[in-house]
């Protein structure tokens, strides 16, 4: 059984650890709030781009674009690419492994898949398990920016335009509501026309396109898809911080329970030691009285 000194040392150690986990909880909450504000500030722009694409399809019936898959073409042709968005480090519960499991599932279902990875955690996992990575973006998953999203899209779009890949998926984590998260797999390219066929306000207005509608789409769609990647990066970053908050909150509660149990044990041992000292003093006084 541990003595009083060992228990006191253990209490101090757990208390210091709790200070760290509590600080990590606060930092994660601040980062998540800033990232959500950043996403909300840019979201209207990309929503407007999507609406303009809808208007184009409502205005012109027959449009051929390399970004859209013909209805008669199957999804499983050619080489696929998967953009996997993970964090740079752990201590975030099941956040990273949930994304990685979904990526492994995609590879198992369609072996001819090239991996593009964001986040040091994902890079280390795939390398350690001898899974080839086609493209690894060297910058951190922290503090996502539109510039990084554009760099990611340019690399993927280049491979898509050259015919090296025929389909691009993005695996990321979506912040559903509050602190609830969900791993999502979304097809980035090719797009499906039916995704843009819902009627919106202003459809009755007809447009003229210069030089032509395909050129307009070739300009709008990359911006729209870059925005989607950017939102996926920010969304994943928010989910990472949410998962870290949950993990650190759980760690704080466990630390509180552990400290409470240690203090109870410490008080019992301290009381037992005091009782023993009183008994020894009483017995010594009694012996001294009998000797006199």
């Amino acid at each position: 059984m541990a003595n009083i000194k060992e228990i006191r040392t253990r209490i101090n150690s757990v208390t210091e650890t709790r200070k760290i986990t509590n600080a990590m909880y606060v930092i994660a909450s601040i980062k998540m709030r800033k990232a959500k504000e950043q996403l909300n500030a840019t979201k209207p722009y990309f929503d407007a781009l999507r609406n303009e694409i809808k208007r184009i399809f409502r205005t012109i019936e027959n449009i051929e674009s390399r970004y859209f898959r013909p209805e008669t073409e199957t999804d499983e042709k050619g080489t696929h690419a998967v953009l996997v968005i993970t964090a740079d480090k752990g201590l975030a519960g099941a956040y990273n492994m949930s994304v990685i499991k979904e990526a492994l599932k995609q590879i198992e279902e369609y072996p001819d898949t090239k991996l593009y990875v964001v986040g040091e955690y994902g890079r280390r996992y795939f390398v350690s398990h001898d899974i080839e990575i086609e493209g690894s973006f060297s910058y951190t998953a922290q503090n996502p920016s539109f510039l990084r999203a554009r760099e990611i899209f340019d690399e993927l779009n280049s491979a898509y335009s050259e015919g090296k890949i025929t389909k691009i998926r993005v695996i990321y984590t979506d912040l559903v509501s509050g602190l609830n998260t969900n791993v999502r797999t979304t097809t980035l390219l090719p797009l499906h026309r039916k995704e843009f066929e819902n009627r919106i306000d202003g459809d009755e207005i007809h447009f003229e396109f210069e030089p032509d509608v395909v050129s307009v789409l070739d300009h709008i769609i990359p911006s729209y898809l870059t925005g989607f990647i950017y939102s996926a990066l920010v969304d994943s970053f928010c989910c990472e911080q949410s998962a870290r908050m949950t993990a650190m909150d759980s760690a704080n509660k466990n630390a509180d329970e552990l400290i409470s149990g240690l203090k109870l044990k410490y008080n019992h041992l301290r009381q037992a030691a005091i009782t023993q000292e009183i008994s020894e003093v009483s017995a010594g006084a009694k012996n001294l009285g009998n000797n006199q």
Side-chain angles (χ1 to χ4, degrees), residues 65-292:
S65 171
R66 62 191 177 93
Y67 293 115
F68 287 84
R69 180 180 68 84
E71 297 300 327
T72 57
E73 184 179 310
T74 60
D75 283 341
E76 303 306 320
K77 290 174 56 179
T79 301
H80 294 184
V82 174
L83 174 63
V84 184
I85 302 176
T86 65
D88 291 322
K89 54 187 177 182
L91 297 177
Y95 168 78
N96 288 297
M97 285 309 303
S98 296
V99 176
I100 290 173
K101 286 179 181 178
E102 183 63 24
L104 295 175
K105 180 181 176 182
Q106 294 288 329
I107 295 173
E108 183 179 357
E109 291 179 355
Y110 197 82
D112 190 9
T113 296
K114 295 183 177 181
L115 279 179
Y116 293 80
V117 183
V118 174
E120 187 59 32
Y121 192 100
R123 285 192 287 267
R124 289 200 306 266
Y125 179 89
F126 291 119
V127 170
S128 64
H129 288 76
D130 296 324
I131 300 175
E132 184 178 355
I133 298 176
E134 179 69 19
S136 179
F137 303 99
S138 59
Y139 45 75
T140 174
Q142 303 289 313
N143 303 319
S145 67
F146 187 75
L147 177 61
R148 292 174 179 173
R150 186 182 296 279
E151 291 174 354
I152 293 172
F153 175 75
D154 287 345
E155 182 169 336
L156 292 172
N157 188 39
S158 176
Y160 179 80
S161 299
E162 294 172 5
K164 296 179 181 178
I165 53 178
T166 59
K167 189 169 188 175
I168 304 173
R169 291 190 179 97
V170 182
I171 300 177
Y172 67 103
T173 314
D174 181 33
L175 190 63
V176 181
S177 62
L179 299 180
N180 297 322
T181 62
N182 184 34
V183 177
R184 293 187 181 275
T185 301
T186 302
T187 298
L188 191 67
L189 284 174
L191 297 170
H192 294 259
R193 178 169 180 151
K194 62 183 179 181
E195 298 173 7
F196 300 90
E197 289 182 345
N198 295 334
R199 181 175 292 278
I200 59 174
D201 293 338
D203 278 350
E204 68 281 358
I205 301 175
H206 294 278
F207 301 92
E208 293 184 1
F209 303 98
E210 289 292 342
D212 54 66
V213 66
V214 174
S215 298
V216 172
L217 282 175
D218 286 346
H219 179 74
I220 293 179
I221 291 177
S223 296
Y224 168 70
L225 295 178
T226 299
F228 183 89
I229 292 176
Y230 171 70
S231 67
L233 290 171
V234 177
D235 215 2
S236 294
F237 181 71
C238 288
C239 291
E240 176 196 347
Q241 304 311 317
S242 174
R244 184 161 290 114
M245 287 171 61
T246 301
M248 293 304 104
D249 183 58
S250 178
N252 288 339
K253 291 178 180 178
N254 291 337
D256 289 338
E257 292 178 4
L258 184 57
I259 290 173
S260 178
L262 288 171
K263 284 183 175 180
L264 183 62
K265 185 181 295 185
Y266 173 82
N267 290 334
H268 284 168
L269 289 176
R270 185 169 178 271
Q271 187 62 44
I274 292 173
T275 301
Q276 184 178 354
E277 289 179 3
I278 292 174
S279 298
E280 290 175 353
V281 170
S282 177
K286 184 177 180 180
N287 290 334
L288 182 60
N290 292 335
N291 292 335
Q292 291 178 350

Side-chain angles (χ1 to χ4, degrees), residues 31-90:
K31 286 183 176 181
M32 184 177 72
R33 186 180 69 251
K34 289 183 176 179
K36 289 179 70 175
E37 291 174 353
Q38 185 180 5
L39 179 61
N40 291 335
T42 57
K43 191 174 183 295
Y45 171 73
F46 299 108
D47 287 343
L49 284 180
R50 181 178 180 84
N51 287 338
E52 293 309 312
I53 297 173
K54 287 183 179 181
R55 286 194 176 95
I56 291 173
F57 280 110
R58 298 293 297 183
T59 303
I60 301 178
E61 293 184 0
N62 298 318
I63 300 175
E64 292 185 2
S65 171
R66 62 191 177 93
Y67 293 115
F68 287 84
R69 180 180 68 84
E71 297 300 327
T72 57
E73 184 179 310
T74 60
D75 283 341
E76 303 306 320
K77 290 174 56 179
T79 301
H80 294 184
V82 174
L83 174 63
V84 184
I85 302 176
T86 65
D88 291 322
K89 54 187 177 182

